[in-house]
């Protein structure tokens, strides 16, 4: 309904399956854009510059920060991450939805600055999260401990979000995500100009009917 794009923010503890959910959502909704973040973290095996992240140096990150190029930014597990202000603003202006996969601190910054739908993804349980983190073998034992500790802190912020999805069954989680976004598009707050236009046309018509004495 709204002719302006929707900002869709997904946050979740590391290992919850949020990146896979983002990929699947984008596959099913090719009209939506993904906000590729800037990071000082080195690329992991299989990651591509410009697709997964823009991998940049600490100096470049600071330079961008100085130019106010980030809509939000945060340090996560020892590396800096930031969302491109220009990309978000231009994409929304074009009427396209934009999907962000960012941490809780970044999401909290955005909540204060911009309208959007904020979704928190939870694992089925703490144990399931630990099993997943161990199973993907991309982090050391020590890093896994850090991520589990961070998860405990992150979940204290759930109530700040608009929606929560427990990623129990993947297809169900995607379907819930789509329903949330569909509903959000009909939100009164997301359709202010449409409502205004309708109201104006409707009142003008009513005025005309009254004048001609037929109503
Ligand atoms: P990873 O390095 O494992 O891809 O991501 C680590 C964490 O950083 C994830 O929780 C991810 O959502 C978050 N992240 C990725 N990009 C951004 C960003 O631009 N801003 C913020 N605040 N967090 C981000």
């Amino acid at each position: 309904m709204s002719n302006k794009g929707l900002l869709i923010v997904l946050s979740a503890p590391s290992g919850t399956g949020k990146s896979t959910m983002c990929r699947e959502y984008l596959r099913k909704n090719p009209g939506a854009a993904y906000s590729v973040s800037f990071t000082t973290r080195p690329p992991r095996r299989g990651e591509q510059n410009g697709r997964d992240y823009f991998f940049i140096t600490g100096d470049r990150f600071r330079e961008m920060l100085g130019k106010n190029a980030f809509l939000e930014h945060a340090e996560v597990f020892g590396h800096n991450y930031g969302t491109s202000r220009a990309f978000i603003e231009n994409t929304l202006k074009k009427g396209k939805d934009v999907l962000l996969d960012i941490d809780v601190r970044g999401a909290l910054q955005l909540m204060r600055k911009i309208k959007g739908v904020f979704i928190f993804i939870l694992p089925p349980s703490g144990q399931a999260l630990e099993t997943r983190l161990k199973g993907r073998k991309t982090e050391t034992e020590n890093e896994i401990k850090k991520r589990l500790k961070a998860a405990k802190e992150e979940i204290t912020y759930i109530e700040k979000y608009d929606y929560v999805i427990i990623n129990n069954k993947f297809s169900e989680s995607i379907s819930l995500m789509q329903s949330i976004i569909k509903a959000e598009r009909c939100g009164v707050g997301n359709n202010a100009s449409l409502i205004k236009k309708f109201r104006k046309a409707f009142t003008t018509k009513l005025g005309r009917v009254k004048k001609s004495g037929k109503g």
Side-chain angles (χ1 to χ4, degrees):
M1 277 173 84
S2 165
N3 55 8
K4 199 172 165 260
L6 191 65
L7 181 95
I8 307 156
V9 179
L10 247 63
S11 299
S14 173
T16 307
K18 172 185 48 157
S19 312
T20 323
M21 279 182 69
C22 283
R23 271 198 298 277
E24 182 60 6
Y25 181 82
L26 292 166
R27 196 185 65 76
K28 287 189 169 218
N29 301 273
Y34 179 68
S35 165
V36 179
S37 297
F38 287 80
T39 185
T40 58
R41 162 170 85 60
R44 295 192 188 113
R45 195 145 35 114
E47 283 184 331
Q48 266 177 37
N49 189 38
R51 185 195 65 183
D52 301 288
Y53 282 105
F54 292 107
F55 296 100
I56 56 170
T57 62
D59 281 349
R60 176 84 181 111
F61 194 91
R62 278 185 290 278
E63 191 189 320
M64 289 181 73
L65 203 56
K67 288 184 176 157
N68 203 19
F70 297 128
L71 196 55
E72 64 72 37
H73 65 94
E75 195 189 309
V76 188
F77 304 122
H79 300 291
N80 291 308
Y81 295 81
T83 297
S84 162
R85 177 188 301 277
F87 179 77
I88 301 293
E89 288 176 355
N90 293 337
T91 311
L92 293 177
K93 237 184 256 165
K94 279 186 213 151
K96 257 186 156 194
D97 289 354
V98 57
L99 182 63
L100 287 84
D101 166 347
I102 61 172
D103 89 318
V104 169
R105 277 161 308 149
L108 294 175
Q109 290 170 47
L110 288 187
M111 285 172 198
R112 280 182 245 118
K113 284 187 187 165
I114 187 165
K115 256 172 70 67
V117 53
F118 293 82
I119 309 173
F120 199 98
I121 316 292
L122 275 176
S125 67
Q127 184 56 52
L129 184 66
E130 192 171 344
T131 310
R132 268 204 67 167
L133 280 173
K134 285 184 175 158
R136 70 182 191 182
K137 295 191 167 77
T138 45
E139 287 87 18
T140 62
E141 192 66 33
N142 196 26
E143 279 167 345
I144 292 176
K145 266 196 201 140
K146 270 196 214 159
R147 280 168 197 251
L148 289 171
K149 196 169 161 238
K152 262 194 201 161
E153 209 224 313
E154 283 160 353
I155 59 175
T156 63
Y157 291 96
I158 296 181
E159 283 88 352
K160 303 262 180 208
Y161 284 70
D162 301 309
Y163 297 93
V164 61
I165 296 176
I166 299 182
N167 190 14
N168 219 334
K169 193 165 165 233
F170 185 70
S171 57
E172 178 66 10
S173 304
I174 293 293
S175 154
L176 285 172
M177 188 177 161
Q178 287 192 297
S179 305
I180 288 169
I181 292 162
K182 264 191 205 158
E184 203 64 21
R185 260 197 218 100
C186 299
V188 170
N190 284 322
N191 289 284
S193 62
L194 195 138
I195 296 167
K196 203 170 150 195
K197 239 163 83 188
F198 181 88
R199 198 170 267 152
K200 199 172 162 208
F202 196 63
T203 348
T204 317
K205 190 162 188 284
L206 277 185
R208 245 190 265 128
V209 172
K210 224 175 164 188
K211 255 188 230 154
S212 66
K214 283 182 189 157

